[in-house]
Amino acid sequence: MIKMIHMLFILLSVGSFVSRMMLVQFKPDLLRGKIAKIAPHVIDTILLLSGITLVLQGNWMAGETGWIMTKVVVLFAYVGFGVMAMRSSGAKRWIAFVLALASFGYIISVAVTKHGFI
Ligand code: HEM
């Protein structure tokens, strides 16, 4: 059940990030509403909380924890590059966007293989 929530919020997180990128580039006015401002924080908080719940539920801290630490560290990179992409412009925006998506993809590969760099 929690894993399904984790999966759902993974999709919502990347979906809302890509949508916000398109809006900030092409229709920035639409991002001024309250929901557009709050929703990403709610989604990413639930994603993080569902991850922490999975760690506790699966007793993952008892074994090899490097992959979990890697996920958390790269999650910060994903959020950081995401914020940079939203706030900058021109080439810098798109480089940060690609780096955010690459971080996201790497987190998925770490989750599946249970091997990180830590
Ligand atoms: C962008 C953020 C994240 C993405 C894209 C992501 C992705 C995934 C994916 C794809 C799986 C399924 C792996 C599989 O079934 O083979 C998974 C499972 C899991 N994730 Fe995440 N995750 C994210 C954040 C987190 C965070 C922050 C934590 C911990 C604090 C976490 C902890 C876990 C745990 C413990 C599992 C369960 C592994 C299992 O039952 O096999 N995740 N994650």
Side-chain angles (χ1 to χ4, degrees), residues 51-73:
I52 292 171
T53 309
L54 282 175
V55 171
L56 299 176
Q57 220 178 34
N59 204 16
W60 286 105
M61 292 311 278
E64 163 63 54
T65 56
W67 68 279
I68 296 169
M69 299 305 154
T70 303
K71 281 185 83 166
V72 174
V73 169

Side-chain angles (χ1 to χ4, degrees), residues 23-114:
L23 289 178
V24 77
Q25 183 72 20
F26 302 111
K27 290 247 178 254
D29 287 356
L30 292 180
L31 284 173
R32 299 229 169 90
K34 223 175 179 174
I35 293 180
K37 288 212 167 96
I38 297 173
H41 299 290
V42 174
I43 291 172
D44 288 338
T45 304
I46 296 175
L47 175 59
L48 179 63
L49 289 180
S50 65
I52 292 171
T53 309
L54 282 175
V55 171
L56 299 176
Q57 220 178 34
N59 204 16
W60 286 105
M61 292 311 278
E64 163 63 54
T65 56
W67 68 279
I68 296 169
M69 299 305 154
T70 303
K71 281 185 83 166
V72 174
V73 169
V74 185
L75 179 70
F76 279 106
Y78 166 56
V79 172
F81 286 132
V83 169
M84 203 189 282
M86 291 297 290
R87 292 188 183 166
S88 48
S89 58
K92 196 173 168 194
R93 162 171 290 165
W94 295 106
I95 291 168
F97 176 63
V98 169
L99 288 174
L101 289 185
S103 308
F104 191 86
Y106 180 63
I107 297 177
I108 293 180
S109 83
V110 171
V112 173
T113 61
K114 312 275 187 285

